[in-house]
């Protein structure tokens, strides 16, 4: 796999020196192309922070953006990121076919501006606490649940993306702000997301079996 190009210094500084809400509100100043490739997004994030990388990869699955199968693409990227975290990587590296996937600039910018005020309302509540949950080892501890969420996101489960994406977003805020309480909330959302998606799969399978038997009975009676 070819090495990813080094991120642009000015763009990396944009991501590194601002809060998540400020970044989302001002995406139009850094995203100049008509379409934004996943490779460009990853390069821009660079070494701006693992928590911010996780956040930006989870957002498109929480707020679906037209023009791209966000669940599959960003779920795959999150899964790769979580495995690379476990392997000790300090930067996300993606295969070229995934780097080439792109989103239209307009919905990305407008979506960021729409959600920024909501994030701003949350950020003031976050502060460093419970360091054992949000410190240096936190990325390795959270890599497994993030991988589980990534798998749920990339699978075609109806209404199955939002809760896993929200849990990953909360984990990301915990890492960005070093807030262990946010990490605990993320674990709670993880349990809810797994239960929700398991119920969808179970009842979907039961419904499919019911419909199969019903149509078989109708066919047999004909």
């Amino acid at each position: 796999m070819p090495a990813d190009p080094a991120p642009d210094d000015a763009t990396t500084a944009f991501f590194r020196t601002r809060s998540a809400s400020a970044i989302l509100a001002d995406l139009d100043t850094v995203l100049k192309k008509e379409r934004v490739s996943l490779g460009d997004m990853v390069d821009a994030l660079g070494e701006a922070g693992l928590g911010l990388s996780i956040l930006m990869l989870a957002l498109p699955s929480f707020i679906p953006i037209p023009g791209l199968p966000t669940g599959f693409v960003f779920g795959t990227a999150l899964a790769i990121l979580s495995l690379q975290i476990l392997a000790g990587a300090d930067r996300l590296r993606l295969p070229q076919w995934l780097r080439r996937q792109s989103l239209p600039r307009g919905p990305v910018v407008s979506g960021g501006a729409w959600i920024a005020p909501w994030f701003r309302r949350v950020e003031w509540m976050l502060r460093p606490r419970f360091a054992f949950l949000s410190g240096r080892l936190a990325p390795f501890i959270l890599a497994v649940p993030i991988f589980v969420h990534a798998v749920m996101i990339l699978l075609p489960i109806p209404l199955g993306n939002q809760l896993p994406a929200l849990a990953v977003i909360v984990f990301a805020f915990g890492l960005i702000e070093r807030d262990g309480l946010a990490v605990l909330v993320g674990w709670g959302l993880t349990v809810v997301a797994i239960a929700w998606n398991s119920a969808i799969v179970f009842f979907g399978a039961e419904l499919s079996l019911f419909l199969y038997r019903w149509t078989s009975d109708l066919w047999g009676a004909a």
Side-chain angles (χ1 to χ4, degrees):
M1 181 188 305
D4 293 344
D8 174 77
D9 290 340
T11 306
T12 300
F14 172 87
F15 284 101
R16 179 177 290 174
T17 58
R18 304 190 182 198
S19 67
S21 61
I23 289 170
L24 291 171
D26 295 333
L27 282 177
D28 61 323
T29 65
V30 71
L31 302 180
K32 302 297 185 183
K33 299 178 181 178
E34 286 301 314
R35 293 188 67 87
V36 183
S37 73
L38 186 55
D40 288 342
M41 183 185 297
V42 169
D43 296 341
L45 289 168
E47 299 175 2
L50 184 59
L52 189 56
S53 298
I54 294 171
L55 173 65
M56 298 302 287
L57 290 176
L59 272 176
S61 298
F62 183 67
I63 306 175
I65 297 174
L68 185 75
T70 53
F72 176 76
V73 171
F74 286 90
T76 301
L78 273 172
I80 292 173
L81 175 60
S82 63
L83 293 176
Q84 291 180 353
I85 291 171
L86 286 175
D90 57 358
R91 241 188 101 201
L92 173 61
R93 298 183 183 277
L94 297 175
Q96 288 301 314
W97 70 267
L98 196 54
R99 287 179 57 84
R100 288 192 294 267
Q101 301 298 316
S102 63
L103 304 87
R105 178 183 181 276
V108 174
V109 171
S110 59
W114 178 80
I115 201 172
W118 297 93
F119 276 21
R120 197 172 295 117
R121 294 172 188 173
V122 173
E123 284 173 335
W124 72 269
M125 297 187 294
L126 302 175
R127 62 180 184 275
R129 52 190 160 185
F130 304 150
F132 66 97
L133 290 173
S134 59
R136 188 171 298 177
L137 294 179
F140 299 96
I141 296 172
L142 298 179
V144 171
I146 289 174
F147 177 81
V148 172
H149 287 306
V151 171
M152 288 192 286
I153 289 170
L154 68 88
L155 290 177
I157 302 175
L159 304 176
N161 281 11
Q162 276 66 39
L163 276 174
L166 179 60
V168 174
I169 288 170
V170 174
F171 281 145
F173 269 116
L175 291 173
I176 293 169
E177 302 294 340
R178 299 291 186 265
D179 192 337
L181 182 58
V183 172
L184 287 176
V185 173
W187 274 106
L189 287 170
T190 295
V191 174
V192 174
I194 292 174
W196 172 256
N197 280 287
S198 298
I200 291 175
V201 171
F202 175 77
F203 287 112
E206 288 292 307
L207 179 60
S208 298
L209 185 59
F210 170 78
L211 291 174
Y212 171 77
R213 289 173 176 170
W214 182 66
T215 52
S216 297
D217 290 343
L218 285 179
W219 183 263

